[in-house]
Amino acid sequence: MNEIFPTVAINTEAPPAPAHPGGARGPLGPASWYARPAARHWTAPPAPTAAYAFHAALPDYAPTRLVELPSLAAELGVGRVFVKDESSRLGLPAFKALGASWALHRVLAERGGATAGATGAAEPVDAGAGVVAGPAGAGAVAGAAEPVTFVTATDGNHGRAVARIARLLGQRAHVFVSRGVHPEAVAAIEGEGARVTRVAGPYDLAVREAARAAEDAGDGPGAGSGSGREALPTVLVQDSGRPGYERIPGWIVEGYATLFAEIDAQLAAAGAGAPDLVAIPVGVGSLAQAAVTHYRAPAPDTGAGPGPALLAVEPEAAACVLESLRRGERVSVATGDTAMAGLNCGTPSSLAWPALRAGLDAAVAVSEARAARAVRDLAALGVPSGLCGAASLAGVRAALTGDGAADRRAALGLGPTATLVLLSTEGPAANPHGQDTSAHGESAEPHGSDANAYSQTPDPYEPDTRHHEPDSHLYGPGSTPHGPATHPEA
């Protein structure tokens, strides 16, 4: 089989990035910062919108919280700061269920020809509104000949989301887990009934192994009658695209669009209007692709200016999008150890890359200590965030404070009245790495070589009791700027 990622690993010093306005690098250093202000004027093709209606019809759906934090706005010298809290999404501690649910729905609908809607009546696949009804949704696909095994690779959250949705639909999941995923996260995937294969290597290797397993199993009745093959029809459901495999990753990206539709409604309810900057934690870039597609889509002719600045945030140990932007082409990087396990990816998705190259304003790489500090600070402000989710705050702090901050603010087009939206993509339960941190912001929990000491542990995902700082405001559709959200916390 062909290599999934034919690009060459990068270990040498990169050539200088292009100068402003094509691109600029600030005093954060060539390995930590890249900006291209011209991206704000690029227009993306219109995106499909059916996933939002699909999610809204799910029995367990509710918009996740958008929390305003005035103390962060004061610290960062901007007008308003909002954090999108994805610590509980469709019963899971991260945003990934949005993409997994829509992708599995589309796969099963196409295989069966129709899906059962909320009333149980068959609906055409193209209607986009077929619903699989939560835990009772097993067997909701009409006409499917037999169950399917969904195969995927994960560095944490995506694998559990695929396993959960597959279980609710009466299907099976086989999840390849990369080195460095916390044992409790692995146990949670197994707790969804998935078969788990541990890979003694980084995320990119797990992606390759998952793709090989799906290819070897084939896709059809009788697949698996040979040696070592899956006993059921098998479908690869990966959130990282590669040449020749982009349709299902595209559905996953479409699923993430629901998050941004919610933000639009919540900001409007808060009287905040459109954001001036959105900070996005980045692994392979699928969520960032959804952000670019949403915010760079053609806007109604309202006389409004360009859309918000879009800032990608990655760990210093795995900054594949930053390096690709600097080089002007999609490249792979050799990843190191990071407690930001869900962002420890070495190659941007081929599907995401054209949108990222054209539509991202800037990218920044952050240290473990910055991310750990952001986790603690968000928790103190009433936002339970994991290290990957808190990376957005760490990245905004790196961009807007310290030496060279004035130039970086100018590149992002931010003034003192700017509105910032930070995506906190996971809660602490999603990635237990580094949740015990020292006073200096360093993880007290070993990772790297010790990360493969997997063990069976109880499911750690229990509902948490949240305390919110008095100056925090929660916005849901229909809420007021200084009143409670009208929807239950999701």
Side-chain angles (χ1 to χ4, degrees), residues 179-183 337 433 444-455:
R179 180 190 64 217
V181 177
H182 195 278
D337 289 339
H433 267 309
E445 179 180 351
H447 55 284
S449 60
D450 292 334
N452 285 320
Y454 297 107
S455 62

Side-chain angles (χ1 to χ4, degrees), residues 65-424:
R65 308 183 309 153
L66 187 70
V67 185
E68 182 168 17
L69 298 175
S71 58
L72 284 184
E75 173 195 335
L76 297 169
V78 296
R80 304 178 78 171
V81 172
F82 296 86
V83 177
K84 184 64 167 167
D85 175 12
E86 292 290 314
S87 61
S88 182
R89 170 68 79 173
L90 294 174
L92 293 175
F95 76 103
K96 292 284 190 175
L98 290 173
S101 60
W102 179 240
L104 267 63
H105 162 73
R106 291 300 307 269
V107 169
L108 292 175
E110 290 205 344
R111 292 182 68 87
T115 60
T119 64
E123 299 175 2
V125 173
D126 290 342
V131 177
V132 286
V141 177
E146 57 183 313
V148 173
T149 295
F150 291 104
V151 178
T152 192
T154 190
D155 45 20
N157 295 324
H158 173 70
R160 190 181 183 199
V162 169
R164 167 70 66 87
I165 302 300
R167 176 173 64 81
L168 294 180
L169 293 173
Q171 312 299 314
R172 298 183 183 180
H174 183 184
V175 180
F176 287 74
V177 179
S178 59
R179 180 190 64 217
V181 177
H182 195 278
E184 291 183 7
V186 177
I189 297 171
E190 292 175 325
E192 302 292 350
R195 172 186 172 191
V196 171
T197 297
R198 296 159 174 82
V199 176
Y203 173 76
D204 283 16
L205 179 59
V207 171
R208 292 186 176 95
E209 292 299 318
R212 285 193 187 99
E215 184 177 90
D216 289 347
D219 183 11
S225 339
S227 57
R229 293 188 171 188
E230 299 284 353
L232 299 172
T234 302
V235 177
L236 181 68
V237 180
Q238 198 60 55
D239 55 354
S240 178
R242 67 180 190 273
Y245 179 74
E246 296 185 335
R247 192 166 183 235
I248 290 176
W251 288 336
I252 291 173
V253 172
E254 288 177 15
Y256 296 158
T258 293
L259 187 154
F260 299 103
E262 291 176 1
I263 290 174
D264 288 347
Q266 291 167 321
L267 287 176
D276 298 292
L277 179 139
V278 179
I280 311 126
V282 170
V284 298
S286 295
L287 179 62
Q289 179 189 356
V292 170
T293 302
H294 181 81
Y295 291 110
R296 301 288 182 251
D301 189 12
T302 60
L310 301 178
L311 173 66
V313 185
E314 298 172 283
E316 289 177 344
C320 63
V321 169
L322 173 61
E323 185 67 17
S324 296
L325 290 170
R326 292 176 59 225
R327 291 179 172 269
E329 61 180 337
R330 189 175 74 106
V331 299
S332 295
V333 300
T335 59
D337 289 339
T338 174
M340 290 173 268
L343 306 181
N344 195 4
C345 305
T347 307
S349 165
S350 67
L351 178 67
W353 169 242
L356 305 185
R357 178 179 55 194
L360 283 176
D361 293 75
V364 64
V366 298
S367 67
E368 305 295 297
R370 281 184 182 269
R373 177 195 167 196
V375 167
R376 296 194 309 274
D377 291 349
L378 287 172
L381 297 174
V383 179
S385 183
L387 284 156
C388 297
S392 58
L393 173 56
V396 166
R397 280 173 163 165
L400 302 188
T401 63
D403 292 342
D407 290 340
R408 293 191 292 274
R409 285 174 182 264
L412 295 169
L414 299 181
T417 63
T419 296
L420 277 54
V421 173
L422 316 182
L423 304 187
S424 178

